């Protein structure tokens, strides 16, 4: 597995506790994945990672933040995994069973199988997406382990009660332990059976990095990087799967805009206001190549359709020159293939650019009764934008204020409040 950059500890001496929390949020997926490879239990691996966090909270304020805090947390968690195995099992028998030197906690060379992947994060994704778990449990567990999301954040992302998410995560970990599910990337039909769920959770992890559901930062680049890397690995591993290439293309296109999506102070920059000269042309080229592979290997699925939409944006020289008619058509196809209120809301935005805000407002108003969108901040945000374009500034202001109340992301709230103020001034 390629070494990943760790958090920068500079300036952490003034706030060791803050440094611990920041580093742990960034490094926890890799720590859990590495430990799970030793203990073969994702629930125990998460507990050991938390133990390492507690140790850091005790030691760093007293001894100072280490030069490589991520490596410190990983080593601490692995040492605790070794101690746990020594306590619970006969050391020699366990050593033979898992085939690694637990004294140093260093994994051995992997078997020279052409389809094997030396990537603990990908192993963790496939393990968490085992078919013994429900689709909802797979998603919640993976976002918890790999996305580093808290239970409240996952609940907000899926518009369900926190207690429901907590139960799903606990039951999922218990089920994996009780069934003794192997910590591995499966082969053949087993891999194909889990692929859909794996693609879904990679996409969800990316989305959390692309527009964080909560916190002070709108972007979480580390999550985007991990998700894109995993998608690329899968593309190389499964070259005949169109949706793998479709997802990879989508993430390449989306990532190409990253530098232009925030301002100098980290504030969000809307698509229409972005400086397209800052878009990464190399990533756009990679996206075009991946989309071509998706189209060449089969009928377009939901991810390939979303990638085609992203390609329309990537190839337009300006917001106004975007081929909104094609995007509207692609969203209609996507709604037919994978219907959801969120897809319909996105289609409304495309319709507003192709046919005007009036027809789009009819679509949005029809979504108002959707239970899944009741607390979804983007519904009033889109409605506010449409009302502004229709010259109805007072109700537009009210919609932006409601959207600001619903979002849990500080940066996005600031943007929505600014738009409400602009509507009020108009």
């Amino acid at each position: 597995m390629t070494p990943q950059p760790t958090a920068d500890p500079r300036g952490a001496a003034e706030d060791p506790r803050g440094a611990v929390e920041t580093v742990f949020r960034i490094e926890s997926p890799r720590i859990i994945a590495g430990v799970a490879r030793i203990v073969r239990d994702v629930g125990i691996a998460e507990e050991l990672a938390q133990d390492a966090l507690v140790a850091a909270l005790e030691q760093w304020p007293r001894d100072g933040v280490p030069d490589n805090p991520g490596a410190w947390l990983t080593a601490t968690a692995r040492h605790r995994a070794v101690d746990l195995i020594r306590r619970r099992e006969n050391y020699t028998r366990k050593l033979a069973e898992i085939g690694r030197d637990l004294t140093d906690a260093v994994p051995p060379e992997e078997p020279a199988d052409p389809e094997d992947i030396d990537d603990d994060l990908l192993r963790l994704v496939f393990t968490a997406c085992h078919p013994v778990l429900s689709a909802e449990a797979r998603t919640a567990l993976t976002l918890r382990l790999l996305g580093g999301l808290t239970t409240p954040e996952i609940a907000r992302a899926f518009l369900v009660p926190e207690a429901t998410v907590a139960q799903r995560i606990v039951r999922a970990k218990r089920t994996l332990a009780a069934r003794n599910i192997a910590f591995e990337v499966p082969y053949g039909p087993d891999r194909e059976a889990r692929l859909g769920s794996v693609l879904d959770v990679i996409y969800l992890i990316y989305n959390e990095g692309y527009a964080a559901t909560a916190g002070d930062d709108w972007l979480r680049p580390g999550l985007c990087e991990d998700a894109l890397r995993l998608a690329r690995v899968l593309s190389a591993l499964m070259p005949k799967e169109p949706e793998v290439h479709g997802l990879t293309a989508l993430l390449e296109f989306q990532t190409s805009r990253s530098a232009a999506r925030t301002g100098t102070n980290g504030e969000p920059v809307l698509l229409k206001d972005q400086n397209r000269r800052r878009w990464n042309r190399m990533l756009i080229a990679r996206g075009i190549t991946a989309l071509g592979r998706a189209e060449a290997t089969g009928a377009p699925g939901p991810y390939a359709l979303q990638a085609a939409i992203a390609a329309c944006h990537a190839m337009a020289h300006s917001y106004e020159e975007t081929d909104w008619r094609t995007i509207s058509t692609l969203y209609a196809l996507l709604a037919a293939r994978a219907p959801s209120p969120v897809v319909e809301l996105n289609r409304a935005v495309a319709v507003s650019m192709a046919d005007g805000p009036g027809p789009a407002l009819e679509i949005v108003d029809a979504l108002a009764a959707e239970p899944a969108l009741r607390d979804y901040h983007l519904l009033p945000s889109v409605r506010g934008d449409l009302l502004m374009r229709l010259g109805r500034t007072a109700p537009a202001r009210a919609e932006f204020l409601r959207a600001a109340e619903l979002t849990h992301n500080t940066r996005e709230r600031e943007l929505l409040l600014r738009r409400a103020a602009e509507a009020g001034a108009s």
Side-chain angles (χ1 to χ4, degrees):
M1 181 174 174
T2 303
Q4 297 293 319
T6 188
D8 188 348
R10 287 174 297 181
E14 293 80 5
D15 182 19
R17 178 173 289 273
V20 174
E21 294 172 352
T22 300
V23 173
F24 186 77
R25 190 173 182 91
I26 294 171
E27 299 291 338
S28 61
R30 297 185 185 93
I31 298 171
I32 294 169
V35 173
R37 193 174 180 189
I38 297 172
V39 299
R40 304 287 169 165
D41 186 308
V42 294
I44 293 175
E46 187 180 19
E47 292 174 4
L48 292 171
Q50 292 287 342
D51 287 347
L53 171 64
V54 172
L57 289 171
E58 293 173 350
Q59 296 182 39
W60 292 10
R62 182 188 68 227
D63 303 334
V65 178
D67 293 336
N68 192 333
W72 190 99
L73 286 168
T74 300
T76 300
R78 288 188 174 216
H79 290 156
R80 289 172 186 253
V82 171
D83 292 340
L84 178 66
I85 290 176
R86 283 173 171 165
R87 286 196 307 268
R88 291 188 174 183
E89 304 284 349
N90 177 276
Y91 178 65
T92 304
R93 183 174 63 81
K94 197 63 179 179
L95 179 63
E97 177 187 334
I98 63 176
R100 56 176 47 81
D101 183 0
L102 291 179
T103 302
D104 298 322
V106 176
E109 293 294 323
E110 292 294 314
D113 190 302
E115 284 197 327
D116 197 29
I117 310 174
D118 185 18
D119 192 316
D120 284 341
L121 284 178
L122 199 57
R123 287 188 179 94
L124 185 56
V125 173
F126 271 96
T127 301
C129 290
H130 197 282
V132 298
L133 304 178
S134 68
E136 295 83 3
R138 297 174 206 163
T139 301
L141 181 61
T142 309
L143 289 177
R144 177 82 178 116
L145 298 179
L146 275 97
L149 274 67
T150 64
T151 299
E153 287 172 341
I154 298 172
R156 285 193 292 268
F158 289 93
L159 310 177
V160 296
E162 290 182 24
T164 300
V165 172
Q167 289 174 357
R168 288 174 183 171
I169 293 172
V170 170
R171 289 172 182 168
K173 288 189 286 191
R174 287 176 179 170
T175 299
L176 292 176
R179 299 288 188 91
N180 197 27
I181 301 301
F183 184 70
E184 64 181 8
V185 176
Y187 299 95
D190 287 341
R191 179 183 294 171
E192 294 173 5
R194 298 189 213 178
L195 181 61
S197 291
V198 169
L199 295 180
D200 289 346
V201 296
I202 290 175
Y203 182 50
L204 288 168
I205 290 168
Y206 185 89
N207 277 346
E208 179 59 27
Y210 192 76
T213 56
D216 296 330
D217 298 319
W218 195 40
L219 307 182
R220 295 176 61 186
L223 291 182
C224 292
E225 292 168 6
D226 277 342
L228 178 55
R229 181 178 57 79
L230 293 175
R232 288 172 176 170
V233 169
L234 280 180
S235 288
L237 182 71
M238 310 181 77
K240 296 182 180 180
E241 290 290 343
E243 278 293 77
V244 173
H245 295 304
L247 176 62
T248 304
L250 174 60
L251 302 193
E252 300 279 11
F253 286 131
Q254 298 293 72
T255 306
S256 72
R257 308 178 199 164
S258 295
R261 293 187 64 238
T262 54
T264 54
N265 296 317
E267 71 277 9
V269 178
L270 297 176
L271 179 62
K272 64 184 179 65
D273 300 322
Q274 289 175 16
N275 179 357
R276 299 193 174 210
R277 288 176 295 181
R278 300 189 67 195
W279 287 7
N280 189 314
R281 308 314 299 184
M282 181 190 73
L283 291 178
I284 290 174
R286 291 183 66 112
I288 292 171
T289 300
L291 181 57
R293 289 171 181 158
E295 293 171 345
T297 51
Y303 288 122
L305 288 171
Q306 291 180 74
I309 292 168
C312 290
H313 290 295
M315 291 187 237
H317 294 295
S318 68
Y319 188 74
E320 292 73 22
E321 294 177 46
T322 305
D323 188 353
W324 292 105
R325 183 71 58 189
T326 296
I327 290 176
S328 179
T329 300
L330 288 169
Y331 266 121
L333 291 173
L334 180 60
R337 290 293 305 273
S340 81
V342 174
V343 170
E344 195 68 3
L345 184 62
N346 289 331
R347 186 176 76 84
V349 175
V351 168
S352 76
M353 299 302 298
D355 301 318
L361 186 60
E362 294 179 7
I363 298 173
V364 173
D365 286 345
L367 294 171
E370 284 285 347
L373 298 183
R374 182 179 56 196
D375 297 321
Y376 188 50
H377 69 283
L378 290 182
L379 178 63
S381 175
V382 170
R383 194 169 189 275
D385 183 71
L386 297 176
L387 291 169
M388 277 290 290
R389 290 167 58 189
L390 290 168
R392 298 165 59 184
T393 56
R397 178 177 179 274
E399 293 291 344
F400 287 134
L401 289 175
R402 171 165 168 72
E405 291 176 357
L406 290 175
T407 184
H408 295 271
N409 184 279
T410 302
R411 294 295 190 178
E412 198 163 21
R413 184 181 302 111
E414 292 169 352
L415 172 65
L416 291 165
L417 291 175
R418 187 164 64 249
R419 299 200 72 191
E422 292 168 356
S426 300

